Amino acid sequence: MPTLVADYPRDGDLHLGGRGLSLVPSFFCTERPATLIDPELPPVLVYPVSRRPASAAPLDGLPELLGRTRALALCALSSPCSTGELARRIGVSIGTASKHASVLRTTKLITSTRRGGEVVHALTPLGRELAQGRRGGSWCCGPDPAYRS
């Protein structure tokens, strides 16, 4: 039987009995996960998400051109991902990631495709060229594991 172990303020077991468990990332959950236990509702585990941007080497002139967060978003899309995953990769809220993706899409640096209930973003050839630099070097630190799905 699968078991989820979480650093929680007190010991205890929550038996799901086939009900499933909703995992909810939260910027407001600051240190440890919290469960919302109500026998009338499905079980929920709220867990903290990183409040700091993904680590990255200097991006040379790209942050000055696009702004640091938007430059990180462009670089984070070296592999396509959803808006939620983009937010996680660059350490911002989903709403902020969505706004940055919208600007990158308007400027033809990324494409966005709806897949079911989520939107997946990917670099266009122009966006990839900008992220990698004109001579094939990388503005964005190359294959950083923080940017992998």
Side-chain angles (χ1 to χ4, degrees):
M1 177 177 294
T3 303
L4 173 66
V5 178
D7 181 21
Y8 199 68
R10 63 181 172 89
D11 277 344
D13 293 331
L14 173 62
H15 298 279
L16 302 177
R19 295 181 295 165
L21 177 66
S22 295
L23 300 175
V24 179
S26 173
F27 281 100
F28 304 107
C29 182
T30 58
E31 293 180 21
R32 296 181 174 179
T35 55
L36 307 176
I37 302 173
D38 181 336
E40 303 296 317
L41 300 172
V44 173
L45 179 70
V46 180
Y47 63 94
V49 295
S50 175
R51 293 172 178 262
R52 56 190 158 92
S55 63
L59 301 174
D60 294 331
L62 199 56
E64 287 78 17
L65 177 66
L66 301 177
R68 179 155 181 78
T69 304
R70 197 163 294 139
L72 282 171
L74 186 69
C75 294
L77 289 168
S78 61
S79 61
C81 67
S82 68
T83 306
E85 175 62 16
L86 177 61
R88 187 193 67 74
R89 289 179 184 183
I90 64 174
V92 299
S93 71
I94 291 175
T96 298
S98 178
K99 287 179 185 178
H100 285 301
S102 177
V103 171
L104 293 171
R105 184 175 49 255
T106 299
T107 57
K108 308 288 191 242
L109 297 176
I110 68 168
T111 60
S112 300
T113 308
R114 181 161 294 282
R115 290 191 189 151
E118 63 184 14
V119 176
V120 176
H121 309 285
L123 292 174
T124 63
L126 177 61
R128 186 166 306 284
E129 184 176 332
L130 182 60
Q132 292 177 344
R134 285 180 31 195
R135 299 176 195 243
S138 177
W139 296 104
C140 301
C141 328
D144 186 329
Y147 296 145
R148 291 197 181 143
S149 298

mmCIF file of all heavy atoms in Angstrom, residues 29-75:
data_model
loop_
_atom_site.group_PDB
_atom_site.id
_atom_site.type_symbol
_atom_site.label_atom_id
_atom_site.label_comp_id
_atom_site.label_asym_id
_atom_site.label_seq_id
_atom_site.Cartn_x
_atom_site.Cartn_y
_atom_site.Cartn_z
ATOM 1 N N CYS A 29 1.752 28.624 3.188
ATOM 2 C CA CYS A 29 2.184 27.543 4.072
ATOM 3 C C CYS A 29 3.702 27.675 4.126
ATOM 4 O O CYS A 29 4.388 27.372 3.159
ATOM 5 C CB CYS A 29 1.748 26.203 3.474
ATOM 6 S SG CYS A 29 2.165 24.777 4.470
ATOM 7 N N THR A 30 4.241 28.165 5.235
ATOM 8 C CA THR A 30 5.633 28.602 5.226
ATOM 9 C C THR A 30 6.659 27.565 5.647
ATOM 10 O O THR A 30 7.792 27.630 5.205
ATOM 11 C CB THR A 30 5.801 29.837 6.125
ATOM 12 O OG1 THR A 30 5.374 29.511 7.442
ATOM 13 C CG2 THR A 30 5.017 31.014 5.578
ATOM 14 N N GLU A 31 6.340 26.631 6.507
ATOM 15 C CA GLU A 31 7.376 25.728 6.989
ATOM 16 C C GLU A 31 7.068 24.257 6.774
ATOM 17 O O GLU A 31 7.901 23.514 6.289
ATOM 18 C CB GLU A 31 7.640 25.982 8.467
ATOM 19 C CG GLU A 31 8.260 27.342 8.716
ATOM 20 C CD GLU A 31 8.530 27.586 10.190
ATOM 21 O OE1 GLU A 31 8.625 26.600 10.950
ATOM 22 O OE2 GLU A 31 8.648 28.751 10.576
ATOM 23 N N ARG A 32 5.912 23.825 7.170
ATOM 24 C CA ARG A 32 5.571 22.406 7.113
ATOM 25 C C ARG A 32 4.228 22.225 6.441
ATOM 26 O O ARG A 32 3.397 23.124 6.431
ATOM 27 C CB ARG A 32 5.487 21.830 8.527
ATOM 28 C CG ARG A 32 6.787 21.853 9.254
ATOM 29 C CD ARG A 32 6.606 21.246 10.614
ATOM 30 N NE ARG A 32 7.902 21.146 11.269
ATOM 31 C CZ ARG A 32 8.058 20.677 12.458
ATOM 32 N NH1 ARG A 32 7.030 20.268 13.154
ATOM 33 N NH2 ARG A 32 9.255 20.608 12.995
ATOM 34 N N PRO A 33 3.984 21.025 5.938
ATOM 35 C CA PRO A 33 2.670 20.747 5.349
ATOM 36 C C PRO A 33 1.576 20.815 6.415
ATOM 37 O O PRO A 33 1.835 20.659 7.605
ATOM 38 C CB PRO A 33 2.787 19.314 4.823
ATOM 39 C CG PRO A 33 4.198 18.912 4.978
ATOM 40 C CD PRO A 33 4.886 19.893 5.854
ATOM 41 N N ALA A 34 0.375 21.047 5.965
ATOM 42 C CA ALA A 34 -0.788 21.069 6.850
ATOM 43 C C ALA A 34 -1.889 20.243 6.200
ATOM 44 O O ALA A 34 -2.057 20.276 4.984
ATOM 45 C CB ALA A 34 -1.274 22.496 7.067
ATOM 46 N N THR A 35 -2.591 19.488 6.998
ATOM 47 C CA THR A 35 -3.716 18.737 6.459
ATOM 48 C C THR A 35 -5.006 19.430 6.849
ATOM 49 O O THR A 35 -5.113 20.029 7.916
ATOM 50 C CB THR A 35 -3.746 17.285 6.981
ATOM 51 O OG1 THR A 35 -3.747 17.311 8.404
ATOM 52 C CG2 THR A 35 -2.566 16.499 6.493
ATOM 53 N N LEU A 36 -5.951 19.362 5.973
ATOM 54 C CA LEU A 36 -7.279 19.872 6.244
ATOM 55 C C LEU A 36 -8.166 18.650 6.385
ATOM 56 O O LEU A 36 -8.533 18.030 5.396
ATOM 57 C CB LEU A 36 -7.744 20.786 5.112
ATOM 58 C CG LEU A 36 -6.773 21.920 4.750
ATOM 59 C CD1 LEU A 36 -7.290 22.707 3.560
ATOM 60 C CD2 LEU A 36 -6.566 22.839 5.940
ATOM 61 N N ILE A 37 -8.440 18.286 7.606
ATOM 62 C CA ILE A 37 -9.159 17.044 7.860
ATOM 63 C C ILE A 37 -10.584 17.361 8.279
ATOM 64 O O ILE A 37 -10.826 17.987 9.299
ATOM 65 C CB ILE A 37 -8.469 16.206 8.956
ATOM 66 C CG1 ILE A 37 -7.031 15.902 8.535
ATOM 67 C CG2 ILE A 37 -9.242 14.925 9.217
ATOM 68 C CD1 ILE A 37 -6.217 15.240 9.609
ATOM 69 N N ASP A 38 -11.503 16.948 7.462
ATOM 70 C CA ASP A 38 -12.923 17.049 7.747
ATOM 71 C C ASP A 38 -13.537 15.786 7.160
ATOM 72 O O ASP A 38 -13.445 15.555 5.959
ATOM 73 C CB ASP A 38 -13.506 18.297 7.080
ATOM 74 C CG ASP A 38 -14.992 18.474 7.359
ATOM 75 O OD1 ASP A 38 -15.680 17.467 7.654
ATOM 76 O OD2 ASP A 38 -15.466 19.608 7.262
ATOM 77 N N PRO A 39 -14.127 14.954 7.973
ATOM 78 C CA PRO A 39 -14.656 13.687 7.469
ATOM 79 C C PRO A 39 -15.697 13.854 6.354
ATOM 80 O O PRO A 39 -15.930 12.944 5.571
ATOM 81 C CB PRO A 39 -15.281 13.020 8.691
ATOM 82 C CG PRO A 39 -15.068 13.922 9.841
ATOM 83 C CD PRO A 39 -14.350 15.132 9.389
ATOM 84 N N GLU A 40 -16.291 15.038 6.253
ATOM 85 C CA GLU A 40 -17.289 15.295 5.222
ATOM 86 C C GLU A 40 -16.661 15.674 3.875
ATOM 87 O O GLU A 40 -17.339 15.679 2.856
ATOM 88 C CB GLU A 40 -18.228 16.423 5.669
ATOM 89 C CG GLU A 40 -18.927 16.161 6.983
ATOM 90 C CD GLU A 40 -19.874 14.967 6.899
ATOM 91 O OE1 GLU A 40 -20.600 14.857 5.892
ATOM 92 O OE2 GLU A 40 -19.862 14.144 7.829
ATOM 93 N N LEU A 41 -15.364 16.056 3.886
ATOM 94 C CA LEU A 41 -14.687 16.524 2.681
ATOM 95 C C LEU A 41 -13.541 15.589 2.307
ATOM 96 O O LEU A 41 -13.017 14.886 3.157
ATOM 97 C CB LEU A 41 -14.130 17.934 2.914
ATOM 98 C CG LEU A 41 -15.134 19.020 3.257
ATOM 99 C CD1 LEU A 41 -14.416 20.298 3.646
ATOM 100 C CD2 LEU A 41 -16.068 19.254 2.084
ATOM 101 N N PRO A 42 -13.127 15.607 1.031
ATOM 102 C CA PRO A 42 -11.955 14.806 0.648
ATOM 103 C C PRO A 42 -10.707 15.320 1.377
ATOM 104 O O PRO A 42 -10.589 16.519 1.646
ATOM 105 C CB PRO A 42 -11.820 15.052 -0.861
ATOM 106 C CG PRO A 42 -13.120 15.629 -1.299
ATOM 107 C CD PRO A 42 -13.727 16.288 -0.109
ATOM 108 N N PRO A 43 -9.764 14.424 1.709
ATOM 109 C CA PRO A 43 -8.552 14.850 2.413
ATOM 110 C C PRO A 43 -7.669 15.746 1.535
ATOM 111 O O PRO A 43 -7.562 15.546 0.332
ATOM 112 C CB PRO A 43 -7.823 13.551 2.723
ATOM 113 C CG PRO A 43 -8.690 12.444 2.258
ATOM 114 C CD PRO A 43 -9.838 12.999 1.516
ATOM 115 N N VAL A 44 -7.036 16.740 2.180
ATOM 116 C CA VAL A 44 -6.192 17.700 1.486
ATOM 117 C C VAL A 44 -4.887 17.835 2.265
ATOM 118 O O VAL A 44 -4.889 17.896 3.481
ATOM 119 C CB VAL A 44 -6.886 19.089 1.418
ATOM 120 C CG1 VAL A 44 -5.955 20.144 0.851
ATOM 121 C CG2 VAL A 44 -8.170 19.001 0.609
ATOM 122 N N LEU A 45 -3.771 17.893 1.523
ATOM 123 C CA LEU A 45 -2.480 18.193 2.123
ATOM 124 C C LEU A 45 -1.962 19.459 1.464
ATOM 125 O O LEU A 45 -1.743 19.500 0.253
ATOM 126 C CB LEU A 45 -1.482 17.042 1.903
ATOM 127 C CG LEU A 45 -0.084 17.283 2.472
ATOM 128 C CD1 LEU A 45 -0.127 17.261 3.997
ATOM 129 C CD2 LEU A 45 0.878 16.244 1.955
ATOM 130 N N VAL A 46 -1.822 20.518 2.252
ATOM 131 C CA VAL A 46 -1.303 21.793 1.768
ATOM 132 C C VAL A 46 0.183 21.808 2.109
ATOM 133 O O VAL A 46 0.560 21.547 3.248
ATOM 134 C CB VAL A 46 -2.013 22.986 2.443
ATOM 135 C CG1 VAL A 46 -1.462 24.295 1.937
ATOM 136 C CG2 VAL A 46 -3.520 22.896 2.209
ATOM 137 N N TYR A 47 1.033 22.086 1.103
ATOM 138 C CA TYR A 47 2.471 22.052 1.347
ATOM 139 C C TYR A 47 3.117 23.348 0.853
ATOM 140 O O TYR A 47 2.634 23.994 -0.059
ATOM 141 C CB TYR A 47 3.111 20.828 0.685
ATOM 142 C CG TYR A 47 3.007 20.812 -0.816
ATOM 143 C CD1 TYR A 47 4.045 21.315 -1.605
ATOM 144 C CD2 TYR A 47 1.891 20.289 -1.456
ATOM 145 C CE1 TYR A 47 3.951 21.301 -2.982
ATOM 146 C CE2 TYR A 47 1.800 20.263 -2.832
ATOM 147 C CZ TYR A 47 2.838 20.769 -3.588
ATOM 148 O OH TYR A 47 2.742 20.757 -4.958
ATOM 149 N N PRO A 48 4.251 23.721 1.491
ATOM 150 C CA PRO A 48 4.906 24.973 1.104
ATOM 151 C C PRO A 48 5.605 24.844 -0.247
ATOM 152 O O PRO A 48 6.115 23.784 -0.592
ATOM 153 C CB PRO A 48 5.927 25.200 2.220
ATOM 154 C CG PRO A 48 6.137 23.874 2.855
ATOM 155 C CD PRO A 48 4.890 23.075 2.620
ATOM 156 N N VAL A 49 5.610 25.926 -1.007
ATOM 157 C CA VAL A 49 6.375 25.981 -2.247
ATOM 158 C C VAL A 49 7.514 26.967 -2.047
ATOM 159 O O VAL A 49 7.445 27.848 -1.190
ATOM 160 C CB VAL A 49 5.522 26.388 -3.472
ATOM 161 C CG1 VAL A 49 4.486 25.347 -3.779
ATOM 162 C CG2 VAL A 49 4.871 27.731 -3.274
ATOM 163 N N SER A 50 8.552 26.821 -2.835
ATOM 164 C CA SER A 50 9.726 27.674 -2.718
ATOM 165 C C SER A 50 9.348 29.127 -2.958
ATOM 166 O O SER A 50 8.612 29.441 -3.878
ATOM 167 C CB SER A 50 10.775 27.236 -3.727
ATOM 168 O OG SER A 50 11.857 28.129 -3.699
ATOM 169 N N ARG A 51 9.894 30.000 -2.154
ATOM 170 C CA ARG A 51 9.647 31.433 -2.307
ATOM 171 C C ARG A 51 10.809 32.122 -3.013
ATOM 172 O O ARG A 51 10.797 33.310 -3.195
ATOM 173 C CB ARG A 51 9.448 32.079 -0.949
ATOM 174 C CG ARG A 51 8.194 31.619 -0.279
ATOM 175 C CD ARG A 51 8.154 32.156 1.151
ATOM 176 N NE ARG A 51 6.919 31.751 1.775
ATOM 177 C CZ ARG A 51 5.854 32.532 1.872
ATOM 178 N NH1 ARG A 51 5.885 33.747 1.405
ATOM 179 N NH2 ARG A 51 4.762 32.096 2.445
ATOM 180 N N ARG A 52 11.823 31.356 -3.400
ATOM 181 C CA ARG A 52 12.966 31.980 -4.062
ATOM 182 C C ARG A 52 13.075 31.474 -5.483
ATOM 183 O O ARG A 52 12.755 30.318 -5.762
ATOM 184 C CB ARG A 52 14.246 31.720 -3.292
ATOM 185 C CG ARG A 52 14.533 30.276 -3.069
ATOM 186 C CD ARG A 52 15.694 30.127 -2.076
ATOM 187 N NE ARG A 52 15.626 28.824 -1.472
ATOM 188 C CZ ARG A 52 16.257 27.762 -1.948
ATOM 189 N NH1 ARG A 52 17.007 27.855 -3.004
ATOM 190 N NH2 ARG A 52 16.137 26.600 -1.357
ATOM 191 N N PRO A 53 13.536 32.308 -6.395
ATOM 192 C CA PRO A 53 13.696 31.873 -7.775
ATOM 193 C C PRO A 53 14.702 30.746 -7.879
ATOM 194 O O PRO A 53 15.591 30.626 -7.047
ATOM 195 C CB PRO A 53 14.215 33.117 -8.505
ATOM 196 C CG PRO A 53 13.933 34.256 -7.602
ATOM 197 C CD PRO A 53 13.867 33.701 -6.203
ATOM 198 N N ALA A 54 14.544 29.933 -8.910
ATOM 199 C CA ALA A 54 15.485 28.854 -9.174
ATOM 200 C C ALA A 54 16.882 29.443 -9.328
ATOM 201 O O ALA A 54 17.060 30.529 -9.850
ATOM 202 C CB ALA A 54 15.076 28.115 -10.438
ATOM 203 N N SER A 55 17.878 28.698 -8.849
ATOM 204 C CA SER A 55 19.235 29.213 -8.954
ATOM 205 C C SER A 55 19.663 29.236 -10.413
ATOM 206 O O SER A 55 19.275 28.394 -11.202
ATOM 207 C CB SER A 55 20.180 28.330 -8.137
ATOM 208 O OG SER A 55 20.193 27.044 -8.677
ATOM 209 N N ALA A 56 20.458 30.210 -10.746
ATOM 210 C CA ALA A 56 20.925 30.343 -12.115
ATOM 211 C C ALA A 56 22.217 31.129 -12.128
ATOM 212 O O ALA A 56 22.444 31.987 -11.293
ATOM 213 C CB ALA A 56 19.875 31.058 -12.966
ATOM 214 N N ALA A 57 23.067 30.817 -13.083
ATOM 215 C CA ALA A 57 24.290 31.582 -13.282
ATOM 216 C C ALA A 57 23.895 32.911 -13.924
ATOM 217 O O ALA A 57 22.762 33.084 -14.364
ATOM 218 C CB ALA A 57 25.234 30.797 -14.170
ATOM 219 N N PRO A 58 24.802 33.849 -14.014
ATOM 220 C CA PRO A 58 24.468 35.131 -14.632
ATOM 221 C C PRO A 58 23.897 34.945 -16.039
ATOM 222 O O PRO A 58 24.349 34.110 -16.799
ATOM 223 C CB PRO A 58 25.815 35.857 -14.682
ATOM 224 C CG PRO A 58 26.631 35.212 -13.611
ATOM 225 C CD PRO A 58 26.171 33.791 -13.540
ATOM 226 N N LEU A 59 22.891 35.711 -16.356
ATOM 227 C CA LEU A 59 22.225 35.614 -17.652
ATOM 228 C C LEU A 59 22.754 36.665 -18.627
ATOM 229 O O LEU A 59 22.126 36.963 -19.620
ATOM 230 C CB LEU A 59 20.718 35.779 -17.472
ATOM 231 C CG LEU A 59 20.039 34.771 -16.555
ATOM 232 C CD1 LEU A 59 18.581 35.148 -16.369
ATOM 233 C CD2 LEU A 59 20.156 33.382 -17.101
ATOM 234 N N ASP A 60 23.924 37.221 -18.355
ATOM 235 C CA ASP A 60 24.520 38.264 -19.182
ATOM 236 C C ASP A 60 23.508 39.382 -19.412
ATOM 237 O O ASP A 60 22.940 39.876 -18.475
ATOM 238 C CB ASP A 60 25.055 37.682 -20.490
ATOM 239 C CG ASP A 60 26.225 36.743 -20.240
ATOM 240 O OD1 ASP A 60 26.946 36.949 -19.250
ATOM 241 O OD2 ASP A 60 26.417 35.806 -21.020
ATOM 242 N N GLY A 61 23.239 39.792 -20.650
ATOM 243 C CA GLY A 61 22.380 40.943 -20.917
ATOM 244 C C GLY A 61 20.905 40.639 -20.992
ATOM 245 O O GLY A 61 20.086 41.549 -21.124
ATOM 246 N N LEU A 62 20.524 39.390 -20.911
ATOM 247 C CA LEU A 62 19.114 39.036 -21.062
ATOM 248 C C LEU A 62 18.211 39.669 -19.997
ATOM 249 O O LEU A 62 17.152 40.186 -20.333
ATOM 250 C CB LEU A 62 18.951 37.519 -21.100
ATOM 251 C CG LEU A 62 17.662 36.980 -21.687
ATOM 252 C CD1 LEU A 62 17.426 37.492 -23.104
ATOM 253 C CD2 LEU A 62 17.673 35.458 -21.684
ATOM 254 N N PRO A 63 18.596 39.682 -18.719
ATOM 255 C CA PRO A 63 17.726 40.332 -17.723
ATOM 256 C C PRO A 63 17.533 41.822 -17.985
ATOM 257 O O PRO A 63 16.457 42.352 -17.740
ATOM 258 C CB PRO A 63 18.447 40.111 -16.395
ATOM 259 C CG PRO A 63 19.311 38.937 -16.625
ATOM 260 C CD PRO A 63 19.721 39.003 -18.074
ATOM 261 N N GLU A 64 18.565 42.480 -18.479
ATOM 262 C CA GLU A 64 18.430 43.903 -18.778
ATOM 263 C C GLU A 64 17.465 44.127 -19.931
ATOM 264 O O GLU A 64 16.751 45.119 -19.984
ATOM 265 C CB GLU A 64 19.794 44.529 -19.112
ATOM 266 C CG GLU A 64 20.693 44.697 -17.897
ATOM 267 C CD GLU A 64 21.376 43.403 -17.460
ATOM 268 O OE1 GLU A 64 21.433 42.438 -18.257
ATOM 269 O OE2 GLU A 64 21.839 43.354 -16.319
ATOM 270 N N LEU A 65 17.439 43.180 -20.856
ATOM 271 C CA LEU A 65 16.547 43.291 -22.001
ATOM 272 C C LEU A 65 15.105 42.966 -21.632
ATOM 273 O O LEU A 65 14.190 43.714 -21.961
ATOM 274 C CB LEU A 65 17.013 42.351 -23.122
ATOM 275 C CG LEU A 65 16.136 42.294 -24.377
ATOM 276 C CD1 LEU A 65 16.168 43.653 -25.083
ATOM 277 C CD2 LEU A 65 16.629 41.201 -25.304
ATOM 278 N N LEU A 66 14.901 41.867 -20.922
ATOM 279 C CA LEU A 66 13.548 41.378 -20.631
ATOM 280 C C LEU A 66 13.082 41.623 -19.205
ATOM 281 O O LEU A 66 11.891 41.537 -18.933
ATOM 282 C CB LEU A 66 13.478 39.864 -20.882
ATOM 283 C CG LEU A 66 13.810 39.364 -22.278
ATOM 284 C CD1 LEU A 66 13.752 37.847 -22.307
ATOM 285 C CD2 LEU A 66 12.853 39.943 -23.285
ATOM 286 N N GLY A 67 14.015 41.859 -18.291
ATOM 287 C CA GLY A 67 13.708 41.846 -16.863
ATOM 288 C C GLY A 67 14.107 40.475 -16.329
ATOM 289 O O GLY A 67 14.009 39.468 -17.022
ATOM 290 N N ARG A 68 14.581 40.419 -15.095
ATOM 291 C CA ARG A 68 15.136 39.167 -14.549
ATOM 292 C C ARG A 68 14.127 38.014 -14.547
ATOM 293 O O ARG A 68 14.428 36.923 -14.992
ATOM 294 C CB ARG A 68 15.675 39.399 -13.145
ATOM 295 C CG ARG A 68 16.235 38.119 -12.544
ATOM 296 C CD ARG A 68 17.261 38.379 -11.487
ATOM 297 N NE ARG A 68 17.785 37.141 -10.951
ATOM 298 C CZ ARG A 68 18.696 36.384 -11.557
ATOM 299 N NH1 ARG A 68 19.180 36.742 -12.708
ATOM 300 N NH2 ARG A 68 19.128 35.263 -10.997
ATOM 301 N N THR A 69 12.924 38.250 -14.052
ATOM 302 C CA THR A 69 11.960 37.156 -13.942
ATOM 303 C C THR A 69 11.534 36.661 -15.319
ATOM 304 O O THR A 69 11.428 35.458 -15.549
ATOM 305 C CB THR A 69 10.731 37.591 -13.122
ATOM 306 O OG1 THR A 69 11.186 38.065 -11.852
ATOM 307 C CG2 THR A 69 9.783 36.437 -12.903
ATOM 308 N N ARG A 70 11.313 37.570 -16.250
ATOM 309 C CA ARG A 70 10.912 37.160 -17.594
ATOM 310 C C ARG A 70 12.055 36.414 -18.290
ATOM 311 O O ARG A 70 11.842 35.451 -19.016
ATOM 312 C CB ARG A 70 10.452 38.354 -18.412
ATOM 313 C CG ARG A 70 9.673 37.936 -19.627
ATOM 314 C CD ARG A 70 8.864 39.080 -20.210
ATOM 315 N NE ARG A 70 7.821 39.489 -19.294
ATOM 316 C CZ ARG A 70 7.474 40.746 -19.052
ATOM 317 N NH1 ARG A 70 8.070 41.743 -19.669
ATOM 318 N NH2 ARG A 70 6.520 41.031 -18.201
ATOM 319 N N ALA A 71 13.307 36.856 -18.045
ATOM 320 C CA ALA A 71 14.462 36.145 -18.601
ATOM 321 C C ALA A 71 14.545 34.738 -18.015
ATOM 322 O O ALA A 71 14.788 33.765 -18.741
ATOM 323 C CB ALA A 71 15.749 36.919 -18.320
ATOM 324 N N LEU A 72 14.313 34.619 -16.709
ATOM 325 C CA LEU A 72 14.295 33.291 -16.087
ATOM 326 C C LEU A 72 13.183 32.430 -16.682
ATOM 327 O O LEU A 72 13.363 31.234 -16.921
ATOM 328 C CB LEU A 72 14.110 33.404 -14.569
ATOM 329 C CG LEU A 72 15.338 33.802 -13.773
ATOM 330 C CD1 LEU A 72 14.959 34.080 -12.320
ATOM 331 C CD2 LEU A 72 16.407 32.738 -13.851
ATOM 332 N N ALA A 73 12.015 33.033 -16.923
ATOM 333 C CA ALA A 73 10.902 32.284 -17.524
ATOM 334 C C ALA A 73 11.280 31.778 -18.910
ATOM 335 O O ALA A 73 11.031 30.619 -19.252
ATOM 336 C CB ALA A 73 9.652 33.161 -17.597
ATOM 337 N N LEU A 74 11.906 32.619 -19.702
ATOM 338 C CA LEU A 74 12.321 32.212 -21.042
ATOM 339 C C LEU A 74 13.306 31.049 -20.954
ATOM 340 O O LEU A 74 13.168 30.046 -21.655
ATOM 341 C CB LEU A 74 12.951 33.397 -21.778
ATOM 342 C CG LEU A 74 13.303 33.148 -23.248
ATOM 343 C CD1 LEU A 74 12.034 33.000 -24.087
ATOM 344 C CD2 LEU A 74 14.148 34.288 -23.783
ATOM 345 N N CYS A 75 14.272 31.166 -20.060
ATOM 346 C CA CYS A 75 15.268 30.101 -19.899
ATOM 347 C C CYS A 75 14.655 28.823 -19.327
ATOM 348 O O CYS A 75 15.040 27.722 -19.699
ATOM 349 C CB CYS A 75 16.392 30.585 -19.000
ATOM 350 S SG CYS A 75 17.340 31.919 -19.737
#
